Amino acid sequence: MTGTGGEEMGAQAARSRALAVLRVRSRALAVALLPAAVAVVLLVGGATGRLPGTGWDAARWAVSVLAVLVLLAAAAVALVVARARPAATPTVTIAEESAPDLYRMVRDLADRLDVPAPSAIALTPDCDSWLEDRTHPAHGPPPAPRRTDPAVPGGHARPRGAAAPVLVIGSPFLWWMRVGELRAVLAPVVAGTGPSAHPDIAAARRFIRGLDAAVAVASADRRNPLSRAACAGLARVCRLLLRGCRVHAAQMERGVASAAAERAQAVDYGLRIAAQEQVGLAYAGWDRLLTRVALPAWRMGRWPSRLDVGVVAALTELSRRDRLAEGFASRLGERPACDLLEEPGAMDEAVSLLTARLFHGGPETGPDWSPVDWAEYPEEVVDRTWRTDAARLHRVLDTLGVRRAAEEDTAPGTEGPTLARVLDHLTVPTDGPGAAPGMASAGGPGTLPGTTPAVGPGAPPHTAPTDDPGTLPGTAPTDGPIDPSRTAPAPQTPPHPPTDGDTSAPGDTPAHPEDDDDLGGTTTRGAALAAGLSAQLAREEAAAQRSGAGTAAPATPAATAGAAGPDAALWDDGVLPLLPLQPPRSGREILTAHITAMVCCAAMDTAGATPGLDWLDGPSLLFDGARAADLAPSVLSLVETGDPGPLRHWMTELGIRPEKPVRLV
């Protein structure tokens, strides 16, 4: 449906709402000028002799002082709103010379839609695409225009010198989608440059972004009482104006989106329906890759340097497993959208580094943070993670005073770490008081709350989510994605229990006691061991932060790649990570992960198992190239009830020797 003269109804609604936003700004200005206007009237009346007397003189002085104060306050607020740096999405800017085909496709799309072309193109580690205004001076100089922008629909030309918004594309789209699919998905996004170029809409957006940035400035911690008072007043005024603009701004953006969608209907409409299916699939695979594959590597100080290549492998595997995705693999014969880039490998590395910084906070300071290729992932990440966790498990057992028995195959005078030591410590005697009544979870042995036991090969996927990605090999994929871009839990601070073996050094993270919920679902010995592991993790993290405080981060190809590197000017390193992937793990989850790691180490050292990488589930234990199954329920039976029977049976079938010492980090 179009309005008069062929103009979209959504554009008309957006302009009317933009005028409503600007009226809020005008009213605020009128309120600020009102005392000054009254003061002028009183001063003119006194100068002409029309308002004589002592009372009028006092009123003139009082109103004049009030007018000056109000004007100063209004000028300060206006200055902060104008100069405050609006929020911008951290991205990797794509220079035109590094992707001429992509720029050509976007400009051709803009010509067909009869809208201005975006001023630049950038990638972000998210499954979404949008237009972003970066005309604020804090965002850097706008790119030089290469051609004259067409007239804006509705009779308004883009003001000379004004830059069009930047087109931000989710990097998984560029690697997973075909060229035609990407074009269809970007059509309604690019169409939004038309309404965005209208002067009223642009002014309304600048005003709202300025208010939002001013609130952020006023919310910063300040020690000076006078500064705190001034910031409190600034925040109150800005929030009041934002409340007045809220409804109009939301309706304005809906109108812009409606106008863009209406204009884009004539371009690749049929293909867009099929492309939207790929959007959902890319979203699911990207989330699984981050939480199951990338997160374990980040925790080890390594960042996968080809995440977008990995998402293609993950989505291909998901298409193979999911019967609803049959036929999607046939798309792989078409031209991928990443072919529009001159150097897709360098761009993938830059996006992978940005992803690590946004979701984990890296690169960490120090020499241990380095990229890792997918071929090296099993050895450099999986094996190292398991052996590090197993070593921590035995250190905590030493702290708790658990005896380490020398085995017959151990060299004289040494005592090797064995899985049997862990099993014996956590086993609850059937006739003894080792178990803690009421602490077992309601799901019974082998089941985490909200999960189902893992199943063997050939079973339907998406049936057994795990609380800690990448730590329970043999579990099946989760059902449905988790949106990492909209999840921001509190940073992880493992609890520090009141144990007798506490050896915290001065300056460690402040301790806080474990609660029943954190240590629930396990035995008394398991709870004590989980508390010790949590405390040890807290001390290690605190020590790592202290040791890396004065160390410069190592230079990486992606960080020094110029235009192919992350736009570091768009965010503050002091607030990373911006989007943590997961909340802190509970004590039981930490204990389960460490026992699983010890079992995997014993399997590798005594039964010939190897570490592996599953694109959807992360670290995996392989026997003769096949993935081991049914480990998670056996480990959980030991953790929750102190029953080692299922785990011992599982190890016996695979030939794992728990009494043999294992190699640790």
Side-chain angles (χ1 to χ4, degrees):
M1 179 178 180
T2 59
T4 58
E7 185 180 359
E8 296 87 357
M9 294 294 295
Q12 296 179 2
R15 291 174 189 172
S16 64
R17 293 294 182 170
L19 292 175
V21 171
L22 296 179
R23 282 195 293 271
V24 174
R25 184 183 66 177
S26 300
R27 293 190 190 108
L29 179 61
V31 171
L33 294 177
L34 181 59
V38 175
V40 169
V41 171
L42 293 177
L43 291 174
V44 171
T48 58
R50 293 180 179 274
L51 300 175
T54 305
W56 286 111
D57 291 338
R60 274 188 287 270
W61 278 104
V63 174
S64 298
V65 171
L66 177 63
V68 171
L69 294 177
V70 172
L71 288 176
L72 290 176
V77 172
L79 183 63
V80 173
V81 171
R83 296 179 62 88
R85 176 178 176 176
T89 306
T91 56
V92 176
T93 299
I94 304 177
E96 185 170 357
E97 55 270 15
S98 64
D101 291 343
L102 179 60
Y103 273 83
R104 191 177 302 113
M105 184 194 76
V106 172
R107 285 175 177 161
D108 177 70
L109 193 58
D111 287 340
R112 290 189 58 184
L113 295 169
D114 193 23
V115 296
S119 60
I121 302 176
L123 294 181
T124 185
D126 192 7
C127 291
D128 199 359
S129 297
W130 64 89
L131 295 172
E132 189 166 288
D133 187 358
R134 295 183 180 175
T135 57
H136 195 275
H139 296 154
R146 294 182 175 268
R147 65 175 187 173
T148 304
D149 288 333
V152 178
H156 295 281
R158 177 174 295 280
R160 185 177 300 274
V166 174
L167 174 61
V168 181
I169 305 175
S171 64
F173 293 167
L174 209 59
W175 266 260
W176 173 246
M177 289 185 173
R178 310 298 99 180
V179 173
E181 294 170 347
L182 180 65
R183 178 186 177 94
V185 168
L186 294 181
V189 181
V190 175
T193 60
S196 300
H198 191 275
D200 294 336
I201 296 177
R205 284 177 165 176
R206 284 195 301 270
F207 178 58
I208 294 171
R209 285 196 304 270
L211 291 176
D212 184 70
V215 171
V217 171
S219 301
D221 294 334
R222 302 181 187 276
R223 296 183 178 180
N224 190 328
L226 184 60
S227 299
R228 286 201 301 269
C231 288
L234 171 65
R236 185 167 185 174
V237 172
C238 292
R239 289 192 178 99
L240 179 63
L241 293 175
L242 283 173
R243 282 196 296 269
C245 299
R246 180 181 303 164
V247 175
H248 300 303
Q251 294 297 330
M252 178 184 70
E253 297 301 336
R254 290 193 184 97
V256 170
S258 174
E262 185 178 348
R263 180 169 290 270
Q265 285 183 356
V267 179
D268 300 332
Y269 181 75
L271 184 59
R272 193 177 311 138
I273 298 176
Q276 288 300 324
E277 298 179 359
Q278 303 305 317
V279 171
L281 191 65
Y283 174 75
W286 181 249
D287 174 74
R288 295 293 294 274
L289 186 75
L290 292 185
T291 57
R292 300 300 184 94
V293 178
L295 185 58
W298 294 338
R299 286 173 175 168
M300 293 302 300
R302 309 296 298 273
W303 55 279
S305 58
R306 294 293 185 270
L307 281 179
D308 289 302
V309 171
V311 78
V312 175
L315 291 173
T316 304
E317 177 66 15
L318 182 62
S319 300
R320 184 187 66 83
R321 292 185 187 180
D322 193 345
R323 60 183 181 181
L324 297 178
E326 291 179 358
F328 283 173
S330 62
R331 304 169 43 261
L332 301 181
E334 304 174 14
R335 186 189 182 193
C338 62
D339 279 359
L340 300 174
L341 304 175
E342 292 292 317
E343 297 182 1
M347 200 64 63
D348 191 2
E349 185 174 1
V351 173
S352 300
L353 177 60
L354 176 61
T355 307
R357 305 196 71 183
L358 292 180
F359 292 101
H360 187 69
E364 305 287 351
T365 55
D368 293 335
W369 183 271
S370 59
V372 59
D373 293 330
W374 292 124
E376 302 172 350
Y377 186 94
E379 188 68 25
E380 296 293 328
V381 176
V382 180
D383 183 86
R384 184 182 168 193
T385 298
W386 287 342
R387 297 191 186 277
T388 300
D389 288 352
R392 184 183 300 111
L393 177 62
H394 281 277
R395 286 198 301 271
V396 174
L397 288 175
D398 292 338
T399 302
L400 296 177
V402 179
R403 184 176 63 90
R404 179 184 292 204
E407 306 295 338
E408 57 182 8
D409 294 335
T410 307
T414 63
E415 298 177 349
T418 65
L419 176 58
R421 181 194 188 197
V422 180
L423 298 179
D424 293 342
H425 176 68
L426 292 178
T427 298
V428 175
T430 56
D431 56 350
M439 295 189 69
S441 64
T447 306
L448 281 170
T451 65
T452 56
V455 293
H462 315 310
T463 56
T466 60
D467 290 52
D468 184 26
T471 58
L472 296 179
T475 52
T478 58
D479 185 11
I482 302 173
D483 188 354
S485 66
R486 294 163 176 81
T487 305
Q492 179 170 351
T493 306
H496 183 51
T499 60
D500 295 337
D502 187 6
T503 57
S504 300
D508 281 350
T509 304
H512 60 88
E514 296 273 2
D515 55 26
D516 293 339
D517 294 336
D518 191 50
L519 295 180
T522 184
T523 63
T524 303
R525 287 185 175 182
L529 185 55
L533 288 170
S534 300
Q536 181 66 24
L537 280 171
R539 288 192 291 270
E540 291 177 5
E541 291 180 359
Q545 292 176 359
R546 290 196 302 269
S547 63
T551 308
T556 60
T560 58
D567 303 318
L570 294 179
W571 74 88
D572 182 9
D573 286 348
V575 297
L576 295 175
L578 295 179
L579 303 167
L581 283 181
Q582 287 190 329
R585 293 180 291 176
S586 66
R588 190 187 67 168
E589 292 167 353
I590 293 174
L591 175 62
T592 302
H594 283 73
I595 295 176
T596 302
M598 186 63 199
V599 173
C600 293
C601 291
M604 291 187 294
D605 291 350
T606 67
T610 57
L613 168 61
D614 186 282
W615 290 111
L616 296 175
D617 296 328
S620 302
L621 186 66
L622 305 180
F623 284 90
D624 297 327
R627 184 177 174 184
D630 300 331
L631 173 57
S634 303
V635 173
L636 290 173
S637 178
L638 175 65
V639 170
E640 295 179 346
T641 66
D643 179 14
L647 183 56
R648 289 187 182 275
H649 178 72
W650 183 86
M651 292 188 295
T652 300
E653 289 184 343
L654 296 174
I656 301 174
R657 301 281 300 276
E659 73 280 0
K660 293 286 188 177
V662 299
R663 177 176 59 87
L664 304 179
V665 175

